[in-house]
Amino acid sequence: MSSAEIPSPKAVAQKIEAALPSPQEVKKDAASGLASQLRSFAAGGFGGVCAVIVGHPFDLVKVRLQTAERGVYSGAIDVVRKSIARDGMRRGLYAGVSAPLVGVTPMFAVSFWGYELGKQIVSKVSTVGPDGLTTAQISAAGFFSAIPMTAITAPFERVKVILQVQGQKQLAPGEKPKYSGGLDVVRQLYREGGVRSVFRGTVATLARDGPGSACYFAAYEIIKRKLSPKDENGKPTGQLSVSAIMAAGAGAGVAMWIPIFPIDTIKSRLQTAEGNVTLGGVVRELYGKGGVKAFFPGFGPALARAVPANAATFLGVELAHKAMTQVFG
């Protein structure tokens, strides 16, 4: 190679400088990414409230079936019947709802914020094709969303399931429930075992929500793409209808619960057990009492809840995004 063909250091520096984004472009990209994360945070919170309102009665039935001794209930309908007979419609089906209502806004907000951040991270560290993120990339972003969410989910779910299980115990005349509400649960747990007691089940929660969130967001995006109207070249031509959004959300909920339900059963048992218990001890106890079937009580109510609750979640999220777009552009 002749000396004339070798670029000068100045020319190399100019080429590198031309290839790099300008400070203004970096600031613009950062602002755009932050705005997208904030919108996902707000939309996720609204979607979570919709999910609790619709899905809490189903969740209560699931937890009571998971934690009750054999023979207490004959099935999901029996849980509903006995709960309403004992406490009435509102208290019977919405026992423990205060904890998820208080916690669900930050929990779902952090989940959807984490998913948005996960997508941005995946886009930076891997190649994104012309059709957008692949299923594997979406799954990775979904798994990432569960990591920050677990810090909120674990203690709130511990409080929720304790209150739900307390509601199924028969009290003697004049006897008061052990816990008067969510804050009282936290106070007593902290007094008995400190922060570690409040956060019992965190590992099981992450073991459930990591793969669950990966399936959840991947299924939603896949179904959403299948249902999107397309032109003759197969390119999306418009926004999804309300029914299509709800169908995709319902499918995402079912796809999440099917693979992780045994882990959820273990988590519920672990978080409601009294005294010092271990994850392995809970697994051995469950298997010893009923084999593999012992890990699936309440599976039907969980899937029944997944359809309307997650349809409501994603409808709320999409409507929130649409509203923010109209207001903020």
Side-chain angles (χ1 to χ4, degrees), residues 183-217:
L183 289 177
D184 189 42
V185 174
V186 174
R187 280 194 295 266
Q188 292 197 44
L189 289 176
Y190 184 78
R191 187 165 60 246
E192 293 166 3
V195 174
R196 187 173 182 177
S197 178
V198 176
F199 279 82
R200 180 198 286 179
T202 297
V203 173
T205 301
L206 181 58
R208 179 197 68 175
D209 290 347
S213 295
C215 295
Y216 187 59
F217 287 108

PDB file of all heavy atoms in Angstrom, residues 183-217:
ATOM      1  N   LEU A 183     -51.371  -2.997  57.150  1.00  0.00           N
ATOM      2  CA  LEU A 183     -50.310  -2.394  57.960  1.00  0.00           C
ATOM      3  C   LEU A 183     -50.050  -3.195  59.228  1.00  0.00           C
ATOM      4  O   LEU A 183     -48.904  -3.327  59.676  1.00  0.00           O
ATOM      5  CB  LEU A 183     -50.668  -0.950  58.316  1.00  0.00           C
ATOM      6  CG  LEU A 183     -50.626   0.064  57.169  1.00  0.00           C
ATOM      7  CD1 LEU A 183     -51.079   1.434  57.654  1.00  0.00           C
ATOM      8  CD2 LEU A 183     -49.214   0.150  56.583  1.00  0.00           C
ATOM      9  N   ASP A 184     -51.124  -3.750  59.791  1.00  0.00           N
ATOM     10  CA  ASP A 184     -50.958  -4.567  60.994  1.00  0.00           C
ATOM     11  C   ASP A 184     -50.178  -5.844  60.676  1.00  0.00           C
ATOM     12  O   ASP A 184     -49.379  -6.309  61.499  1.00  0.00           O
ATOM     13  CB  ASP A 184     -52.319  -4.911  61.578  1.00  0.00           C
ATOM     14  CG  ASP A 184     -52.216  -5.581  62.949  1.00  0.00           C
ATOM     15  OD1 ASP A 184     -51.389  -5.129  63.767  1.00  0.00           O
ATOM     16  OD2 ASP A 184     -52.945  -6.553  63.191  1.00  0.00           O
ATOM     17  N   VAL A 185     -50.393  -6.412  59.495  1.00  0.00           N
ATOM     18  CA  VAL A 185     -49.624  -7.585  59.078  1.00  0.00           C
ATOM     19  C   VAL A 185     -48.138  -7.245  59.031  1.00  0.00           C
ATOM     20  O   VAL A 185     -47.290  -7.976  59.557  1.00  0.00           O
ATOM     21  CB  VAL A 185     -50.089  -8.102  57.697  1.00  0.00           C
ATOM     22  CG1 VAL A 185     -49.176  -9.234  57.216  1.00  0.00           C
ATOM     23  CG2 VAL A 185     -51.523  -8.597  57.750  1.00  0.00           C
ATOM     24  N   VAL A 186     -47.822  -6.112  58.402  1.00  0.00           N
ATOM     25  CA  VAL A 186     -46.420  -5.697  58.278  1.00  0.00           C
ATOM     26  C   VAL A 186     -45.801  -5.479  59.658  1.00  0.00           C
ATOM     27  O   VAL A 186     -44.676  -5.921  59.932  1.00  0.00           O
ATOM     28  CB  VAL A 186     -46.300  -4.414  57.427  1.00  0.00           C
ATOM     29  CG1 VAL A 186     -44.861  -3.905  57.423  1.00  0.00           C
ATOM     30  CG2 VAL A 186     -46.766  -4.673  56.004  1.00  0.00           C
ATOM     31  N   ARG A 187     -46.528  -4.806  60.558  1.00  0.00           N
ATOM     32  CA  ARG A 187     -46.006  -4.534  61.903  1.00  0.00           C
ATOM     33  C   ARG A 187     -45.707  -5.831  62.646  1.00  0.00           C
ATOM     34  O   ARG A 187     -44.644  -5.987  63.256  1.00  0.00           O
ATOM     35  CB  ARG A 187     -47.008  -3.688  62.694  1.00  0.00           C
ATOM     36  CG  ARG A 187     -46.978  -2.210  62.370  1.00  0.00           C
ATOM     37  CD  ARG A 187     -47.729  -1.413  63.424  1.00  0.00           C
ATOM     38  NE  ARG A 187     -49.160  -1.740  63.427  1.00  0.00           N
ATOM     39  CZ  ARG A 187     -50.073  -1.065  62.745  1.00  0.00           C
ATOM     40  NH1 ARG A 187     -49.713  -0.031  62.006  1.00  0.00           N
ATOM     41  NH2 ARG A 187     -51.349  -1.413  62.804  1.00  0.00           N
ATOM     42  N   GLN A 188     -46.659  -6.764  62.595  1.00  0.00           N
ATOM     43  CA  GLN A 188     -46.470  -8.008  63.335  1.00  0.00           C
ATOM     44  C   GLN A 188     -45.367  -8.877  62.722  1.00  0.00           C
ATOM     45  O   GLN A 188     -44.583  -9.509  63.447  1.00  0.00           O
ATOM     46  CB  GLN A 188     -47.785  -8.787  63.411  1.00  0.00           C
ATOM     47  CG  GLN A 188     -48.854  -8.112  64.265  1.00  0.00           C
ATOM     48  CD  GLN A 188     -49.961  -9.074  64.647  1.00  0.00           C
ATOM     49  OE1 GLN A 188     -49.702 -10.209  65.034  1.00  0.00           O
ATOM     50  NE2 GLN A 188     -51.207  -8.623  64.556  1.00  0.00           N
ATOM     51  N   LEU A 189     -45.306  -8.915  61.395  1.00  0.00           N
ATOM     52  CA  LEU A 189     -44.243  -9.692  60.747  1.00  0.00           C
ATOM     53  C   LEU A 189     -42.878  -9.120  61.091  1.00  0.00           C
ATOM     54  O   LEU A 189     -41.931  -9.866  61.379  1.00  0.00           O
ATOM     55  CB  LEU A 189     -44.441  -9.692  59.221  1.00  0.00           C
ATOM     56  CG  LEU A 189     -45.607 -10.492  58.662  1.00  0.00           C
ATOM     57  CD1 LEU A 189     -45.700 -10.307  57.161  1.00  0.00           C
ATOM     58  CD2 LEU A 189     -45.469 -11.972  59.003  1.00  0.00           C
ATOM     59  N   TYR A 190     -42.772  -7.796  61.087  1.00  0.00           N
ATOM     60  CA  TYR A 190     -41.493  -7.160  61.398  1.00  0.00           C
ATOM     61  C   TYR A 190     -41.103  -7.415  62.854  1.00  0.00           C
ATOM     62  O   TYR A 190     -39.939  -7.668  63.164  1.00  0.00           O
ATOM     63  CB  TYR A 190     -41.578  -5.656  61.132  1.00  0.00           C
ATOM     64  CG  TYR A 190     -40.266  -4.932  61.345  1.00  0.00           C
ATOM     65  CD1 TYR A 190     -39.264  -4.986  60.382  1.00  0.00           C
ATOM     66  CD2 TYR A 190     -40.023  -4.224  62.525  1.00  0.00           C
ATOM     67  CE1 TYR A 190     -38.047  -4.341  60.571  1.00  0.00           C
ATOM     68  CE2 TYR A 190     -38.811  -3.582  62.725  1.00  0.00           C
ATOM     69  CZ  TYR A 190     -37.833  -3.641  61.741  1.00  0.00           C
ATOM     70  OH  TYR A 190     -36.625  -3.009  61.942  1.00  0.00           O
ATOM     71  N   ARG A 191     -42.084  -7.364  63.739  1.00  0.00           N
ATOM     72  CA  ARG A 191     -41.820  -7.603  65.152  1.00  0.00           C
ATOM     73  C   ARG A 191     -41.374  -9.050  65.386  1.00  0.00           C
ATOM     74  O   ARG A 191     -40.521  -9.327  66.232  1.00  0.00           O
ATOM     75  CB  ARG A 191     -43.070  -7.294  65.980  1.00  0.00           C
ATOM     76  CG  ARG A 191     -42.841  -7.356  67.485  1.00  0.00           C
ATOM     77  CD  ARG A 191     -43.957  -6.717  68.273  1.00  0.00           C
ATOM     78  NE  ARG A 191     -45.248  -7.360  68.028  1.00  0.00           N
ATOM     79  CZ  ARG A 191     -46.270  -6.765  67.431  1.00  0.00           C
ATOM     80  NH1 ARG A 191     -46.163  -5.510  67.018  1.00  0.00           N
ATOM     81  NH2 ARG A 191     -47.407  -7.405  67.258  1.00  0.00           N
ATOM     82  N   GLU A 192     -41.949  -9.980  64.628  1.00  0.00           N
ATOM     83  CA  GLU A 192     -41.635 -11.397  64.810  1.00  0.00           C
ATOM     84  C   GLU A 192     -40.312 -11.806  64.171  1.00  0.00           C
ATOM     85  O   GLU A 192     -39.602 -12.665  64.700  1.00  0.00           O
ATOM     86  CB  GLU A 192     -42.762 -12.255  64.231  1.00  0.00           C
ATOM     87  CG  GLU A 192     -44.082 -12.136  64.990  1.00  0.00           C
ATOM     88  CD  GLU A 192     -45.248 -12.716  64.207  1.00  0.00           C
ATOM     89  OE1 GLU A 192     -45.011 -13.260  63.102  1.00  0.00           O
ATOM     90  OE2 GLU A 192     -46.392 -12.621  64.681  1.00  0.00           O
ATOM     91  N   GLY A 193     -39.994 -11.211  63.015  1.00  0.00           N
ATOM     92  CA  GLY A 193     -38.789 -11.683  62.314  1.00  0.00           C
ATOM     93  C   GLY A 193     -38.029 -10.643  61.543  1.00  0.00           C
ATOM     94  O   GLY A 193     -37.150 -10.992  60.729  1.00  0.00           O
ATOM     95  N   GLY A 194     -38.356  -9.359  61.753  1.00  0.00           N
ATOM     96  CA  GLY A 194     -37.632  -8.303  61.071  1.00  0.00           C
ATOM     97  C   GLY A 194     -37.959  -8.219  59.588  1.00  0.00           C
ATOM     98  O   GLY A 194     -38.945  -8.780  59.103  1.00  0.00           O
ATOM     99  N   VAL A 195     -37.087  -7.532  58.861  1.00  0.00           N
ATOM    100  CA  VAL A 195     -37.287  -7.331  57.421  1.00  0.00           C
ATOM    101  C   VAL A 195     -37.329  -8.668  56.689  1.00  0.00           C
ATOM    102  O   VAL A 195     -38.075  -8.839  55.719  1.00  0.00           O
ATOM    103  CB  VAL A 195     -36.169  -6.434  56.849  1.00  0.00           C
ATOM    104  CG1 VAL A 195     -36.279  -6.339  55.335  1.00  0.00           C
ATOM    105  CG2 VAL A 195     -36.225  -5.048  57.460  1.00  0.00           C
ATOM    106  N   ARG A 196     -36.526  -9.617  57.161  1.00  0.00           N
ATOM    107  CA  ARG A 196     -36.476 -10.918  56.497  1.00  0.00           C
ATOM    108  C   ARG A 196     -37.840 -11.595  56.489  1.00  0.00           C
ATOM    109  O   ARG A 196     -38.213 -12.256  55.510  1.00  0.00           O
ATOM    110  CB  ARG A 196     -35.454 -11.807  57.207  1.00  0.00           C
ATOM    111  CG  ARG A 196     -35.189 -13.127  56.515  1.00  0.00           C
ATOM    112  CD  ARG A 196     -34.049 -13.862  57.194  1.00  0.00           C
ATOM    113  NE  ARG A 196     -33.741 -15.108  56.509  1.00  0.00           N
ATOM    114  CZ  ARG A 196     -32.750 -15.916  56.847  1.00  0.00           C
ATOM    115  NH1 ARG A 196     -31.954 -15.592  57.850  1.00  0.00           N
ATOM    116  NH2 ARG A 196     -32.548 -17.035  56.182  1.00  0.00           N
ATOM    117  N   SER A 197     -38.607 -11.428  57.566  1.00  0.00           N
ATOM    118  CA  SER A 197     -39.936 -12.019  57.634  1.00  0.00           C
ATOM    119  C   SER A 197     -40.896 -11.343  56.659  1.00  0.00           C
ATOM    120  O   SER A 197     -41.708 -11.995  56.012  1.00  0.00           O
ATOM    121  CB  SER A 197     -40.480 -11.923  59.062  1.00  0.00           C
ATOM    122  OG  SER A 197     -41.785 -12.460  59.128  1.00  0.00           O
ATOM    123  N   VAL A 198     -40.802 -10.018  56.562  1.00  0.00           N
ATOM    124  CA  VAL A 198     -41.673  -9.269  55.641  1.00  0.00           C
ATOM    125  C   VAL A 198     -41.412  -9.693  54.200  1.00  0.00           C
ATOM    126  O   VAL A 198     -42.332  -9.789  53.386  1.00  0.00           O
ATOM    127  CB  VAL A 198     -41.457  -7.753  55.812  1.00  0.00           C
ATOM    128  CG1 VAL A 198     -42.292  -6.972  54.801  1.00  0.00           C
ATOM    129  CG2 VAL A 198     -41.813  -7.315  57.236  1.00  0.00           C
ATOM    130  N   PHE A 199     -40.143  -9.963  53.886  1.00  0.00           N
ATOM    131  CA  PHE A 199     -39.766 -10.288  52.504  1.00  0.00           C
ATOM    132  C   PHE A 199     -39.649 -11.794  52.265  1.00  0.00           C
ATOM    133  O   PHE A 199     -39.066 -12.211  51.265  1.00  0.00           O
ATOM    134  CB  PHE A 199     -38.441  -9.612  52.146  1.00  0.00           C
ATOM    135  CG  PHE A 199     -38.590  -8.169  51.766  1.00  0.00           C
ATOM    136  CD1 PHE A 199     -38.672  -7.184  52.733  1.00  0.00           C
ATOM    137  CD2 PHE A 199     -38.667  -7.786  50.433  1.00  0.00           C
ATOM    138  CE1 PHE A 199     -38.821  -5.846  52.395  1.00  0.00           C
ATOM    139  CE2 PHE A 199     -38.808  -6.463  50.072  1.00  0.00           C
ATOM    140  CZ  PHE A 199     -38.888  -5.483  51.056  1.00  0.00           C
ATOM    141  N   ARG A 200     -40.220 -12.607  53.158  1.00  0.00           N
ATOM    142  CA  ARG A 200     -40.173 -14.051  52.939  1.00  0.00           C
ATOM    143  C   ARG A 200     -40.843 -14.401  51.613  1.00  0.00           C
ATOM    144  O   ARG A 200     -41.920 -13.904  51.288  1.00  0.00           O
ATOM    145  CB  ARG A 200     -40.878 -14.804  54.060  1.00  0.00           C
ATOM    146  CG  ARG A 200     -40.847 -16.325  53.851  1.00  0.00           C
ATOM    147  CD  ARG A 200     -41.872 -17.042  54.689  1.00  0.00           C
ATOM    148  NE  ARG A 200     -41.494 -17.090  56.090  1.00  0.00           N
ATOM    149  CZ  ARG A 200     -42.250 -17.665  57.039  1.00  0.00           C
ATOM    150  NH1 ARG A 200     -43.421 -18.178  56.713  1.00  0.00           N
ATOM    151  NH2 ARG A 200     -41.838 -17.673  58.286  1.00  0.00           N
ATOM    152  N   GLY A 201     -40.211 -15.269  50.856  1.00  0.00           N
ATOM    153  CA  GLY A 201     -40.757 -15.679  49.562  1.00  0.00           C
ATOM    154  C   GLY A 201     -40.229 -14.871  48.399  1.00  0.00           C
ATOM    155  O   GLY A 201     -40.702 -15.032  47.271  1.00  0.00           O
ATOM    156  N   THR A 202     -39.224 -14.012  48.634  1.00  0.00           N
ATOM    157  CA  THR A 202     -38.703 -13.173  47.549  1.00  0.00           C
ATOM    158  C   THR A 202     -38.069 -14.016  46.449  1.00  0.00           C
ATOM    159  O   THR A 202     -38.295 -13.771  45.255  1.00  0.00           O
ATOM    160  CB  THR A 202     -37.666 -12.173  48.101  1.00  0.00           C
ATOM    161  OG1 THR A 202     -38.309 -11.302  49.027  1.00  0.00           O
ATOM    162  CG2 THR A 202     -37.073 -11.338  46.970  1.00  0.00           C
ATOM    163  N   VAL A 203     -37.273 -15.021  46.834  1.00  0.00           N
ATOM    164  CA  VAL A 203     -36.632 -15.880  45.825  1.00  0.00           C
ATOM    165  C   VAL A 203     -37.690 -16.632  45.024  1.00  0.00           C
ATOM    166  O   VAL A 203     -37.608 -16.719  43.788  1.00  0.00           O
ATOM    167  CB  VAL A 203     -35.655 -16.859  46.494  1.00  0.00           C
ATOM    168  CG1 VAL A 203     -35.120 -17.869  45.472  1.00  0.00           C
ATOM    169  CG2 VAL A 203     -34.495 -16.106  47.143  1.00  0.00           C
ATOM    170  N   ALA A 204     -38.698 -17.150  45.715  1.00  0.00           N
ATOM    171  CA  ALA A 204     -39.774 -17.868  45.021  1.00  0.00           C
ATOM    172  C   ALA A 204     -40.554 -16.926  44.114  1.00  0.00           C
ATOM    173  O   ALA A 204     -41.000 -17.322  43.030  1.00  0.00           O
ATOM    174  CB  ALA A 204     -40.712 -18.511  46.037  1.00  0.00           C
ATOM    175  N   THR A 205     -40.716 -15.676  44.554  1.00  0.00           N
ATOM    176  CA  THR A 205     -41.425 -14.694  43.726  1.00  0.00           C
ATOM    177  C   THR A 205     -40.666 -14.404  42.447  1.00  0.00           C
ATOM    178  O   THR A 205     -41.249 -14.350  41.355  1.00  0.00           O
ATOM    179  CB  THR A 205     -41.644 -13.390  44.518  1.00  0.00           C
ATOM    180  OG1 THR A 205     -42.393 -13.674  45.700  1.00  0.00           O
ATOM    181  CG2 THR A 205     -42.411 -12.377  43.680  1.00  0.00           C
ATOM    182  N   LEU A 206     -39.336 -14.220  42.556  1.00  0.00           N
ATOM    183  CA  LEU A 206     -38.532 -13.977  41.356  1.00  0.00           C
ATOM    184  C   LEU A 206     -38.500 -15.206  40.465  1.00  0.00           C
ATOM    185  O   LEU A 206     -38.554 -15.094  39.229  1.00  0.00           O
ATOM    186  CB  LEU A 206     -37.108 -13.572  41.745  1.00  0.00           C
ATOM    187  CG  LEU A 206     -36.155 -13.258  40.577  1.00  0.00           C
ATOM    188  CD1 LEU A 206     -36.716 -12.132  39.714  1.00  0.00           C
ATOM    189  CD2 LEU A 206     -34.772 -12.897  41.084  1.00  0.00           C
ATOM    190  N   ALA A 207     -38.439 -16.401  41.077  1.00  0.00           N
ATOM    191  CA  ALA A 207     -38.449 -17.641  40.292  1.00  0.00           C
ATOM    192  C   ALA A 207     -39.758 -17.797  39.523  1.00  0.00           C
ATOM    193  O   ALA A 207     -39.797 -18.404  38.451  1.00  0.00           O
ATOM    194  CB  ALA A 207     -38.239 -18.841  41.214  1.00  0.00           C
ATOM    195  N   ARG A 208     -40.831 -17.238  40.079  1.00  0.00           N
ATOM    196  CA  ARG A 208     -42.121 -17.268  39.390  1.00  0.00           C
ATOM    197  C   ARG A 208     -42.221 -16.156  38.344  1.00  0.00           C
ATOM    198  O   ARG A 208     -42.613 -16.393  37.192  1.00  0.00           O
ATOM    199  CB  ARG A 208     -43.249 -17.104  40.413  1.00  0.00           C
ATOM    200  CG  ARG A 208     -44.642 -17.088  39.811  1.00  0.00           C
ATOM    201  CD  ARG A 208     -45.670 -16.530  40.784  1.00  0.00           C
ATOM    202  NE  ARG A 208     -45.474 -15.100  41.031  1.00  0.00           N
ATOM    203  CZ  ARG A 208     -46.293 -14.348  41.766  1.00  0.00           C
ATOM    204  NH1 ARG A 208     -47.345 -14.905  42.349  1.00  0.00           N
ATOM    205  NH2 ARG A 208     -46.058 -13.064  41.936  1.00  0.00           N
ATOM    206  N   ASP A 209     -41.874 -14.932  38.743  1.00  0.00           N
ATOM    207  CA  ASP A 209     -42.138 -13.767  37.891  1.00  0.00           C
ATOM    208  C   ASP A 209     -41.135 -13.586  36.759  1.00  0.00           C
ATOM    209  O   ASP A 209     -41.464 -12.969  35.748  1.00  0.00           O
ATOM    210  CB  ASP A 209     -42.180 -12.502  38.741  1.00  0.00           C
ATOM    211  CG  ASP A 209     -43.412 -12.444  39.625  1.00  0.00           C
ATOM    212  OD1 ASP A 209     -44.330 -13.252  39.404  1.00  0.00           O
ATOM    213  OD2 ASP A 209     -43.467 -11.593  40.530  1.00  0.00           O
ATOM    214  N   GLY A 210     -39.894 -14.115  36.912  1.00  0.00           N
ATOM    215  CA  GLY A 210     -38.922 -14.003  35.827  1.00  0.00           C
ATOM    216  C   GLY A 210     -39.395 -14.710  34.568  1.00  0.00           C
ATOM    217  O   GLY A 210     -39.677 -14.075  33.542  1.00  0.00           O
ATOM    218  N   PRO A 211     -39.520 -16.046  34.614  1.00  0.00           N
ATOM    219  CA  PRO A 211     -40.025 -16.747  33.423  1.00  0.00           C
ATOM    220  C   PRO A 211     -41.469 -16.384  33.097  1.00  0.00           C
ATOM    221  O   PRO A 211     -41.862 -16.365  31.928  1.00  0.00           O
ATOM    222  CB  PRO A 211     -39.899 -18.227  33.796  1.00  0.00           C
ATOM    223  CG  PRO A 211     -39.770 -18.260  35.283  1.00  0.00           C
ATOM    224  CD  PRO A 211     -39.118 -16.988  35.681  1.00  0.00           C
ATOM    225  N   GLY A 212     -42.265 -16.075  34.140  1.00  0.00           N
ATOM    226  CA  GLY A 212     -43.654 -15.694  33.881  1.00  0.00           C
ATOM    227  C   GLY A 212     -43.749 -14.425  33.064  1.00  0.00           C
ATOM    228  O   GLY A 212     -44.539 -14.334  32.112  1.00  0.00           O
ATOM    229  N   SER A 213     -42.951 -13.421  33.412  1.00  0.00           N
ATOM    230  CA  SER A 213     -42.961 -12.157  32.672  1.00  0.00           C
ATOM    231  C   SER A 213     -42.417 -12.328  31.263  1.00  0.00           C
ATOM    232  O   SER A 213     -42.871 -11.670  30.322  1.00  0.00           O
ATOM    233  CB  SER A 213     -42.144 -11.098  33.426  1.00  0.00           C
ATOM    234  OG  SER A 213     -42.749 -10.784  34.657  1.00  0.00           O
ATOM    235  N   ALA A 214     -41.424 -13.208  31.105  1.00  0.00           N
ATOM    236  CA  ALA A 214     -40.889 -13.485  29.767  1.00  0.00           C
ATOM    237  C   ALA A 214     -41.993 -14.043  28.864  1.00  0.00           C
ATOM    238  O   ALA A 214     -42.171 -13.595  27.723  1.00  0.00           O
ATOM    239  CB  ALA A 214     -39.725 -14.472  29.874  1.00  0.00           C
ATOM    240  N   CYS A 215     -42.740 -15.025  29.389  1.00  0.00           N
ATOM    241  CA  CYS A 215     -43.859 -15.599  28.619  1.00  0.00           C
ATOM    242  C   CYS A 215     -44.967 -14.570  28.398  1.00  0.00           C
ATOM    243  O   CYS A 215     -45.587 -14.513  27.327  1.00  0.00           O
ATOM    244  CB  CYS A 215     -44.426 -16.813  29.346  1.00  0.00           C
ATOM    245  SG  CYS A 215     -43.294 -18.209  29.485  1.00  0.00           S
ATOM    246  N   TYR A 216     -45.206 -13.763  29.415  1.00  0.00           N
ATOM    247  CA  TYR A 216     -46.302 -12.790  29.416  1.00  0.00           C
ATOM    248  C   TYR A 216     -46.158 -11.776  28.281  1.00  0.00           C
ATOM    249  O   TYR A 216     -47.046 -11.638  27.431  1.00  0.00           O
ATOM    250  CB  TYR A 216     -46.276 -12.086  30.768  1.00  0.00           C
ATOM    251  CG  TYR A 216     -47.417 -11.149  31.075  1.00  0.00           C
ATOM    252  CD1 TYR A 216     -48.728 -11.590  31.088  1.00  0.00           C
ATOM    253  CD2 TYR A 216     -47.166  -9.826  31.436  1.00  0.00           C
ATOM    254  CE1 TYR A 216     -49.770 -10.736  31.425  1.00  0.00           C
ATOM    255  CE2 TYR A 216     -48.196  -8.963  31.781  1.00  0.00           C
ATOM    256  CZ  TYR A 216     -49.492  -9.421  31.769  1.00  0.00           C
ATOM    257  OH  TYR A 216     -50.513  -8.572  32.122  1.00  0.00           O
ATOM    258  N   PHE A 217     -45.030 -11.100  28.262  1.00  0.00           N
ATOM    259  CA  PHE A 217     -44.841 -10.047  27.260  1.00  0.00           C
ATOM    260  C   PHE A 217     -44.612 -10.623  25.870  1.00  0.00           C
ATOM    261  O   PHE A 217     -45.064 -10.044  24.873  1.00  0.00           O
ATOM    262  CB  PHE A 217     -43.675  -9.137  27.665  1.00  0.00           C
ATOM    263  CG  PHE A 217     -44.001  -8.230  28.822  1.00  0.00           C
ATOM    264  CD1 PHE A 217     -43.463  -8.447  30.073  1.00  0.00           C
ATOM    265  CD2 PHE A 217     -44.872  -7.157  28.646  1.00  0.00           C
ATOM    266  CE1 PHE A 217     -43.774  -7.612  31.142  1.00  0.00           C
ATOM    267  CE2 PHE A 217     -45.189  -6.325  29.710  1.00  0.00           C
ATOM    268  CZ  PHE A 217     -44.644  -6.550  30.960  1.00  0.00           C
TER     269      PHE A 217
END
